[in-house]
């Protein structure tokens, strides 16, 4: 399987069921959270995953590095079956995870020690650890905080340290499960900028779960989940133009997209696939006979 | 009649040490009874420190806090009474749930107010209903509920004490769009039905303008401005300068204004932006 693997993640008919057992080990309740997911994520892509709580998006994300293994179907990471126990460490080195709460992810008392934690466990030589930790901290723009204690940092800074800890392992892909949900607007912007930089400059594949539509609009591809299934999978412009379908599954669209949708309902000639302020402004100015230079 | 008044309110941490910091700096603000105020400010701006003064959880370094006309730290005021008058709900309030059932959890506050059992029962049921907690949920464990439901149970627990002033610190943080809208709509309905003065801390200007009548902006411990929602966006540029977000639709209106299409300084909803645009487009066609 070495060589030209173009898909970093591939799922085939993936199903997952939570089961509640009684004292004798008999199943008394089962809840199917994933109902047949078929996805391929090519190397280097920036994918956003949307869906309201309980739609199965976090459960799906946990399959991408073998934290969970499907009840049915398969997940391949770089061609490796995540159900293969002998290769689980290869899977986990290839796909790093970042979670919602920054305070639950940092383990050490000094920033640089936290970033080095996984590398020490992997038995990376000390010189190489130093190099990778410095590089990771520079990438997330936190090098000057390397000797700080995590509790002195803001939420956005802590999240960037969590990301540094993951990129020090040099993974091909990072899965981020609502990394901005607990941050203020400034922290959210910092984390977003870091994620985009990793994707653009390092070519790291990004799977980004979020509730913020303006963040999802910055991805290359958006996957929408509802009730354990993928219901939409397309580029952001096409996804967000489906305003009514998104609202029906409890999701929003960016405000400028909704404005265009409302204007179209009034018979005003403006495209439906507008998702950025810049684009929206240019089209409105056109209505007034003005061009943007 | 004013519900809340602060006079030269100042709070310093770690006074007399090298770490001395002024968290709240000379804040003067007057909030009328029945108002719905959104409080916004970047992390560390002093908004949480400010609200903790309003029911006496923190005692100011200097200045005064006046609640319903009474200086809360004067000798003839019992601070325990102030804590019943001013209900404070912290961030991630679901972490404070502890009872076996939803009913018992909501009843905890009113039980400690020397009320009759009938009155406690009435208040629990009313508060639960006001937050959209159905009767069949009352006998369940609060830990079996969804995140948004838990949050509403915690809010009901404070509402059951019937405070005259209700202060909420980020009641929608971390919830998905449905959970967020449900919590905020329930709070807004409660405000309309009960007339309670509400102070709501949020990072989201979009949420604040949807529900609040006035906006209080904090910056570096100081009161940056206290304005009606209609007026606050005349300061959009300054608000962005101090590190806060304005709604995307407001940013769009600023960009359009720079290019000669002026929709006014009070654009913060899609509905209003749409109305003004249509007026202007039609006006132009008639010329």
């Amino acid at each position: 399987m070495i060589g030209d693997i173009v898909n970093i993640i591939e799922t085939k008919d993936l199903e997952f069921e939570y089961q509640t057992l009684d004292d004798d080990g008999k199943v008394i309740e089962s809840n199917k959270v994933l109902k047949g997911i078929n996805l391929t994520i090519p190397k280097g892509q920036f994918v956003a995953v949307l869906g309201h709580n309980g739609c199965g998006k976090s459960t799906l994300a946990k399959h991408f590095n073998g934290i969970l293994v499907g009840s049915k179907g398969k997940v391949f990471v770089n061609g490796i079956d995540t159900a293969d126990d002998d290769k689980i460490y290869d899977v986990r080195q290839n796909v790093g995870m970042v979670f919602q709460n920054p305070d639950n992810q940092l383990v050490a008392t000094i920033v640089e020690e936290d970033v080095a934690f996984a590398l020490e466990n992997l038995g990376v030589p000390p010189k190489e650890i130093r190099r990778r930790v410095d590089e990771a901290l520079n990438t997330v723009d936190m090098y000057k905080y390397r000797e700080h204690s995590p509790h002195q940092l803001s939420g956005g800074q802590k999240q960037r340290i969590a990301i540094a800890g993951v990129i020090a392992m040099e993974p091909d892909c990072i899965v981020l499960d609502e990394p901005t949900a607990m941050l203020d607007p400034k922290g959210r912007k910092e984390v977003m900028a870091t994620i985009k930089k990793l994707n653009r400059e390092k070519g790291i594949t990004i799977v980004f779960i979020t509730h913020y539509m303006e963040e999802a609009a910055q991805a290359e591809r958006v996957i929408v989940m509802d009730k354990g299934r993928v219901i939409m999978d397309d580029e952001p412009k096409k996804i967000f133009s489906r305003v009514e379908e998104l609202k029906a599954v409890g999701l929003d669209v960016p405000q400028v997209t909704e404005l265009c949708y409302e204007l179209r309902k009034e018979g005003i000639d403006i495209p439906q696939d507008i998702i950025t302020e810049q684009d929206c402004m240019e089209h409105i100015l056109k209505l007034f006979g003005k061009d943007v230079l | 009649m004013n519900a809340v008044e602060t006079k030269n309110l100042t709070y310093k941490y770690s006074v007399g040490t090298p770490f001395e910091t002024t968290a709240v700096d000379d804040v003067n603000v007057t909030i009328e009874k029945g108002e719905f105020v959104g409080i916004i400010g970047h992390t560390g701006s002093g908004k949480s420190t400010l609200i903790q003064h309003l029911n006496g959880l923190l005692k100011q370094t200097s200045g005064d806090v006046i609640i319903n006309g009474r200086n809360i730290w004067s000798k003839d005021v019992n601070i325990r009474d102030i804590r019943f008058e001013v209900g404070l709900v912290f961030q991630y309030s679901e972490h404070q749930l502890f009872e076996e059932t939803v009913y018992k959890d909501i009843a905890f506050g009113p039980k400690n107010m020397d009320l009759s059992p009938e009155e406690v029962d009435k208040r629990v049921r009313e508060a639960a209903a006001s937050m959209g907690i159905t009767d069949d949920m009352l006998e369940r464990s609060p830990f079996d509920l969804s995140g948004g439901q838990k949050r509403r149970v915690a809010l009901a627990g404070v509402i059951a004490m019937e405070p005259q002033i209700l202060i909420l610190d980020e009641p929608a943080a971390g919830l998905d769009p449905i959970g967020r809208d449900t919590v905020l709509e329930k709070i807004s309905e409660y405000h309309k039905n009960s007339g309670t003065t509400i102070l709501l801390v949020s990072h989201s200007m979009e949420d604040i303008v949807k529900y609040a009548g006035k906006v209080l902006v904090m910056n570096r411990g100081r009161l940056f401005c206290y304005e009606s929602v209609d007026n606050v966006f005349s300061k959009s540029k300054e608000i962005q300068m101090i590190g806060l977000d304005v709604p995307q639709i407001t940013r769009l209106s600023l960009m359009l204004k720079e290019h000669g299409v002026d929709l006014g300084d009070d654009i913060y909803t899609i509905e209003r932006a749409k109305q003004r645009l249509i007026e202007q487009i039609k006006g132009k066609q008639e010329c």
Side-chain angles (χ1 to χ4, degrees), chain A residues 178-199:
Chain A
E178 293 189 52
T180 58
M182 297 177 82
L183 307 181
D184 67 356
K186 187 166 166 275
R188 259 166 43 206
K189 272 182 207 148
E190 290 167 6
V191 169
M192 239 2 243
T194 305
I195 294 169
K196 282 163 84 176
K197 182 176 166 191
L198 291 176
N199 178 251

Side-chain angles (χ1 to χ4, degrees), chain A residues 8-11 14 61-70 73-92 95:
Chain A
I8 177 117
I9 292 171
E10 199 172 344
T11 73
L14 178 66
K62 287 184 186 141
H63 282 82
F64 290 164
N65 76 344
I67 294 176
L68 293 176
V69 176
K74 290 276 180 207
V75 179
F76 298 97
V77 169
N78 272 344
I80 305 169
D81 185 343
T82 60
D84 185 348
D85 280 342
D86 296 336
K87 294 198 172 150
I88 192 67
Y89 287 103
D90 296 329
V91 169
R92 299 222 169 114
V95 181

Side-chain angles (χ1 to χ4, degrees), chain A residues 36 57 122 130 163 173 222 232-233 235 239 253 261-262 289:
Chain A
K57 58 192 190 311
L122 291 172
R130 182 77 258 170
I163 294 173
C173 174
V222 176
M232 296 183 208
D233 180 358
E235 54 185 292
I239 297 277
V253 296
Y261 171 76
E262 290 291 330

Side-chain angles (χ1 to χ4, degrees), chain A residues 52-53 181-182 184-185 189 211 214 250 252 254-256 258-259 262-263 266 268 277-278 280-281 284-285 287-288 290, chain B residues 43 92 174-178 180 203 206 245 247-249 251-252 255-256 259-261 270 273-274 277-278 280-281 284:
Chain A
H52 66 78
N53 285 353
M182 297 177 82
D184 67 356
K189 272 182 207 148
H211 283 315
E214 288 175 41
D252 280 338
Q255 285 191 322
V256 290
E258 189 159 356
L259 177 68
E262 290 291 330
L263 288 172
E266 299 292 324
I268 288 168
E277 291 142 56
Q278 184 66 29
C280 185
M281 177 189 75
I284 289 173
L285 290 177
L287 294 173
F288 286 90
K290 296 180 194 213
Chain B
T43 308
Y92 299 100
L175 300 180
D176 69 347
I178 296 179
R180 179 197 68 205
H203 280 310
E206 282 164 37
D245 251 355
Q248 190 185 37
I249 204 80
R251 292 201 298 273
L252 176 74
M255 287 163 71
L256 285 170
H259 288 87
V261 176
I270 295 165
K274 171 187 154 188
L277 269 170
I278 289 174
Q280 296 213 8
I281 291 168
K284 189 178 146 283

Side-chain angles (χ1 to χ4, degrees), chain B residues 44-112:
Chain B
S45 63
K47 54 191 191 310
S48 292
T49 312
L50 173 68
I51 59 169
Q52 287 177 51
H53 281 84
L54 305 183
N55 74 346
L57 272 187
L58 287 178
K59 190 174 183 180
Q60 66 273 18
T61 313
S62 60
D64 292 304
V65 178
I66 296 150
I67 298 294
N68 292 328
R70 291 188 299 167
N71 189 326
I72 65 168
W73 293 107
S74 75
K75 283 206 177 70
D76 54 337
V77 174
N78 182 354
I79 197 72
R80 188 178 153 86
D81 296 340
I82 297 296
R83 300 216 168 109
F84 288 139
E85 272 174 49
V86 184
L88 185 57
V89 185
F90 291 108
Q91 267 185 51
Y92 299 100
S93 48
E94 63 275 21
H95 294 168
Q96 298 168 44
L97 300 173
F98 69 101
E99 274 284 11
E100 290 165 10
T101 68
V102 169
Y103 184 96
K104 284 186 188 169
D105 212 294
I106 300 175
F108 182 79
K111 266 191 181 166
N112 281 290

Side-chain angles (χ1 to χ4, degrees), chain B:
Chain B
M1 176 75 174
N2 297 325
V4 176
E5 200 179 344
T6 70
K7 284 186 182 161
N8 307 105
L9 184 68
T10 299
Y11 183 77
K12 291 180 178 165
Y13 285 105
S14 313
V15 176
T17 75
F19 304 106
E20 184 172 316
T21 329
T22 308
V24 173
D25 191 1
D26 196 26
V27 169
N28 290 286
V29 69
T30 305
I31 294 168
E32 274 182 43
K33 250 195 183 137
E35 197 79 65
F36 191 142
V37 181
I39 302 180
I40 196 163
H42 58 82
T43 308
S45 63
K47 54 191 191 310
S48 292
T49 312
L50 173 68
I51 59 169
Q52 287 177 51
H53 281 84
L54 305 183
N55 74 346
L57 272 187
L58 287 178
K59 190 174 183 180
Q60 66 273 18
T61 313
S62 60
D64 292 304
V65 178
I66 296 150
I67 298 294
N68 292 328
R70 291 188 299 167
N71 189 326
I72 65 168
W73 293 107
S74 75
K75 283 206 177 70
D76 54 337
V77 174
N78 182 354
I79 197 72
R80 188 178 153 86
D81 296 340
I82 297 296
R83 300 216 168 109
F84 288 139
E85 272 174 49
V86 184
L88 185 57
V89 185
F90 291 108
Q91 267 185 51
Y92 299 100
S93 48
E94 63 275 21
H95 294 168
Q96 298 168 44
L97 300 173
F98 69 101
E99 274 284 11
E100 290 165 10
T101 68
V102 169
Y103 184 96
K104 284 186 188 169
D105 212 294
I106 300 175
F108 182 79
K111 266 191 181 166
N112 281 290
M113 295 175 76
D114 303 327
L115 302 169
S116 68
E118 297 76 31
E119 176 67 13
V120 171
D121 182 68
K122 178 177 152 275
R123 287 189 177 199
V124 170
R125 290 181 189 281
E126 281 177 6
S130 75
M131 285 293 116
I133 311 287
T134 52
D135 279 350
D136 63 297
M137 283 158 73
L138 290 176
E139 293 312 317
R140 285 167 63 187
S141 160
F143 302 103
D144 288 342
L145 307 178
S146 77
Q149 290 170 334
K150 279 188 207 167
R151 186 81 55 94
R152 284 184 277 124
V153 170
L155 287 176
V158 177
I159 286 173
M161 296 171 76
E162 299 185 356
Q164 295 168 37
I165 301 163
L166 179 61
I167 305 176
L168 307 148
D169 196 354
E170 297 250 20
L175 300 180
D176 69 347
I178 296 179
R180 179 197 68 205
D181 289 348
T182 314
V183 164
L184 295 174
E185 261 152 36
K186 291 294 170 195
I187 293 168
S188 172
E189 270 172 32
Y190 175 73
H191 171 247
K192 282 181 198 126
N193 297 335
S194 68
T196 307
T197 310
I198 293 194
L199 276 64
L200 181 145
V201 176
S202 173
H203 280 310
S204 166
M205 197 62 111
E206 282 164 37
D207 289 346
I208 285 183
V209 298
K210 214 161 150 190
Y211 300 101
K214 291 185 109 177
V215 187
L216 190 161
V217 184
M218 291 289 292
N219 182 40
R220 297 177 177 211
R222 287 178 167 265
L223 179 71
F224 178 78
C225 69
Y226 179 51
E227 293 272 7
S228 72
V229 169
D230 273 340
N231 286 334
V232 77
F233 292 109
S234 60
K235 296 191 176 75
S236 290
K237 285 217 166 135
E238 293 90 330
I239 288 172
Q240 286 179 306
M241 293 260 284
I242 62 171
L244 295 179
D245 251 355
V246 298
Q248 190 185 37
I249 204 80
T250 307
R251 292 201 298 273
L252 176 74
S253 78
L254 288 173
M255 287 163 71
L256 285 170
K257 192 177 175 182
E258 277 176 23
H259 288 87
V261 176
D262 189 355
L263 304 181
D265 288 331
D266 56 352
I267 300 295
Y268 52 87
T269 60
I270 295 165
E271 182 57 26
R272 189 172 285 173
K274 171 187 154 188
Q275 261 175 21
R276 298 269 169 85
L277 269 170
I278 289 174
E279 278 166 26
Q280 296 213 8
I281 291 168
K282 285 196 178 140
K284 189 178 146 283
Q285 282 164 353
E286 279 159 21
C287 276

